[in-house]
């Protein structure tokens, strides 16, 4: 594992308002036991901090960066331009365009500076953490085994709850609260004779 639990993954976001999305990346990394740090670093409002963060990330021991931003989302791409560490981009859902602007800003990088782009919002943040664990798992066997256990548990939850209204039917993501099971008509349920 990382030396003294030092962060292996840096999670950065363009604004405090992005935390409600990026917290799902942090929760998932925590669940997998991946040491990480979290910072607000804005490409537009604090460009010097962004350059400092990205250019020093490798020497500080980070091995991967998850960068989330919304709107004209330059944070992941600019971060990738200042480090050779893998950068995973999470498009935050914007109010005006529902995150399509964020998605295209992050995904449409010119050849030479890649950003691994995830889907918009919570699913993208969760998957960024899972992909980070898959990448780091090549070097850290305990992370690979934590990811394997996560996947097995997720599969088992679906197998254990085949009916859509019983708890556990959908893959669990950290922080997700399950709605209480509702009584619904079950077409195949046996009825007691009147
Ligand atoms: C982007 O602008 C941030 O990543 C955020 O998603 C969006 C809006 O930021 P706030 O106005 O909420 O600070 O830079």
């Amino acid at each position: 594992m990382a030396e003294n639990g030092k962060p292996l993954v840096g999670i950065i976001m363009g604004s405090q308002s992005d935390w409600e999305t990026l917290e799902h990346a942090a929760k998932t990394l925590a669940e997998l036991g991946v040491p990480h740090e979290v910072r607000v670093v804005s490409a537009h409002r604090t460009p010097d901090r962004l350059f400092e963060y990205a250019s020093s990330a490798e020497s500080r021991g980070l091995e991967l960066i998850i960068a989330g931003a919304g709107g004209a989302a330059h944070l992941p791409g600019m971060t990738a331009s200042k480090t050779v560490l893998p950068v995973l981009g999470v498009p935050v859902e914007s109010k005006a365009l529902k995150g399509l602007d964020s998605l295209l800003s992050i995904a449409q990088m010119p050849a030479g500076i890649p950003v691994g782009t995830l889907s918009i919002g919570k699913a993208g943040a969760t998957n960024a953490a899972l992909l980070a664990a898959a990448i780091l798992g090549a070097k850290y066997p305990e992370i690979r085994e934590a990811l394997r256990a996560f996947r097995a548990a997720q599969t088992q939850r679906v197998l254990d709850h085949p009916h859509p209204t019983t708890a556990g039917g959908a893959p669990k993501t950290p922080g997700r609260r399950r709605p209480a099971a509702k009584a619904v008509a079950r077409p195949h349920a046996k009825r007691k004779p009147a």
Side-chain angles (χ1 to χ4, degrees), residues 64-190:
L64 186 146
I65 295 173
I66 295 173
H74 295 128
L75 180 65
M78 288 307 296
T79 300
S81 77
K82 292 293 288 180
T83 181
V84 294
L85 295 178
V87 176
L88 303 181
V90 179
V92 170
E93 185 174 330
S94 57
K95 284 198 184 114
L97 297 174
K98 301 284 180 207
L100 187 58
D101 44 356
S102 326
L103 174 65
L104 296 179
S105 297
I106 296 173
Q108 291 300 107
M109 290 295 289
I113 306 293
V115 171
T117 308
L118 283 301
S119 55
I120 298 167
K122 177 181 172 182
T126 303
N127 281 344
L130 295 173
L131 190 52
I135 293 167
L136 294 171
K139 178 174 172 186
Y140 300 99
E142 62 275 38
I143 295 179
R144 174 156 289 176
E145 292 316 308
L147 180 60
R148 202 186 307 281
F150 177 98
R151 295 278 290 266
Q154 176 173 255
T155 298
Q156 196 58 48
R157 273 195 302 279
V158 177
L159 293 174
D160 287 347
H161 301 281
H163 193 278
T165 64
T166 57
K172 177 182 170 237
T173 52
R176 180 176 181 275
R177 285 187 170 270
R178 296 185 190 293
K182 286 182 189 165
V184 294
R186 298 188 191 196
H188 305 298
K190 285 186 185 168

Side-chain angles (χ1 to χ4, degrees), residues 13-51:
M13 63 213 76
S15 169
Q16 288 187 347
S17 65
D18 295 330
W19 175 240
E20 66 181 79
T21 301
L22 273 300
E23 70 176 327
H24 297 288
K27 282 180 182 169
T28 305
L29 288 178
E31 191 173 336
L32 297 171
V34 179
H36 58 280
E37 63 178 26
V38 176
R39 299 276 185 282
V40 174
V41 178
S42 169
H44 303 126
R45 295 166 177 158
T46 63
D48 293 339
R49 182 190 286 180
L50 159 61
F51 270 43

